[in-house]
């Protein structure tokens, strides 16, 4: 029969004699290694102008010249045009297209009055949205801004006229006129063109 394992003398530790305690710590060799960063990869999506605090990402879509040109020509960003004209342009587009869902999906869609009811509903929605725009303008532009607008390079730029109380009121007036004109144009087309019936 094999001999039983030999036991050494009991260890002495802080718990007293002949009391088994935790095993002594082993000393091991320390292994160290260096982590090397890979070469810098070309980033496709990065913060605009390299500044992560702006909150805008520069992607191949947002930084493409054709997209930047398209966005800068939208009425909301075209600063060279008066707020009234910008409101009329936005209102015309929305007033014309808002009648379609009311005509084709409204409760009177299967009657002879579908076009008239849809256009009246569209006009009602334009009036409701005009009230919403007025409420927004009354709350958002209550006081004059003390801090001016600067570019990233520090150049002072003029504030967009729509971002003032008077400019927003003109934009809202243009929205109402343009929206109701778009609805009227939609009604005219539904009564004249045969493809709308």
């Amino acid at each position: 029969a094999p001999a039983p394992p030999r036991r050494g003398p009991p260890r002495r530790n802080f718990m007293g004699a002949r009391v088994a305690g935790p095993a002594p710590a082993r000393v091991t060799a320390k292994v160290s290694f260096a982590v090397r960063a890979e070469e810098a990869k070309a980033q496709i999506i990065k913060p605009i102008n390299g500044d992560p605090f702006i909150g805008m990402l520069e992607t191949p879509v947002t930084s493409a010249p054709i997209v930047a040109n398209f966005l800068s020509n939208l009425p909301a960003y075209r600063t060279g045009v008066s707020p009234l004209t910008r409101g009329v342009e936005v209102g015309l587009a929305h007033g014309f297209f808002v009648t379609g869902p009311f005509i084709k999906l409204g409760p009177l869609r299967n009657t002879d009055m579908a076009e008239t009811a849809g256009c009246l509903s569209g006009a009602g929605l334009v009036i409701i949205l005009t009230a919403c725009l007025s409420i927004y303008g009354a709350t958002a532009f209550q006081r004059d801004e003390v801090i001016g607008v600067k570019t990233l390079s520090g150049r002072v730029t003029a504030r967009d006229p729509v971002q003032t109380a008077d400019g927003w009121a003109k934009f809202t007036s243009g929205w109402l006129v343009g929206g109701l004109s778009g609805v009227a144009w939609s009604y005219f087309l539904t009564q004249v063109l045969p493809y709308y019936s």
Side-chain angles (χ1 to χ4, degrees):
R6 216 171 109 193
R7 293 187 169 180
R11 290 190 307 259
R12 294 186 176 263
N13 55 19
F14 67 93
M15 289 187 264
R18 298 186 184 269
V19 177
R26 294 183 185 175
V27 178
T28 58
K30 187 176 183 182
V31 179
S32 63
F33 56 92
V35 177
R36 294 186 184 140
E38 293 183 25
E39 294 180 16
K41 295 181 181 177
Q43 295 292 324
I44 296 175
I45 299 174
K46 57 187 174 185
I48 194 163
N49 294 336
D51 188 359
F53 299 104
I54 295 176
M56 176 70 180
L57 293 177
E58 187 175 7
T59 66
V61 174
T62 58
S63 61
I66 190 167
V67 174
N69 191 21
F70 173 74
L71 290 177
S72 64
N73 282 323
L74 288 176
Y77 302 113
R78 205 175 321 137
T79 56
V81 182
S82 72
L84 182 67
T85 309
R86 289 157 77 176
V88 168
E89 189 174 345
V90 173
L92 277 170
H94 286 81
F96 179 74
F97 289 116
V98 80
T99 58
F102 286 115
I103 293 171
K104 294 298 180 184
L105 302 173
L108 300 176
R109 62 183 172 266
N110 294 328
T111 65
D112 294 336
M113 296 298 294
E115 292 85 8
T116 304
C119 290
L120 288 175
S121 298
L125 181 61
V126 166
I127 292 171
I128 290 170
L129 292 176
T130 302
C132 295
L133 285 171
S134 297
I135 292 169
Y136 173 76
T139 58
F141 307 114
Q142 291 180 355
R143 58 178 173 236
D144 293 333
E145 292 293 329
V146 179
I147 301 172
V149 179
K150 292 186 177 183
T151 63
L152 293 175
S153 63
R155 184 174 47 94
V156 177
T157 61
R159 183 171 293 280
D160 187 5
V162 173
Q163 299 297 319
T164 62
D166 185 47
W168 191 262
K170 289 179 181 176
F171 179 82
T172 304
S173 300
W175 159 267
L176 177 64
V177 171
L180 292 179
S181 299
V183 169
W185 180 245
S186 176
Y187 177 75
F188 175 74
L189 291 179
T190 57
Q191 301 304 313
V192 172
L193 294 178
Y195 298 111
Y196 278 91
S197 301

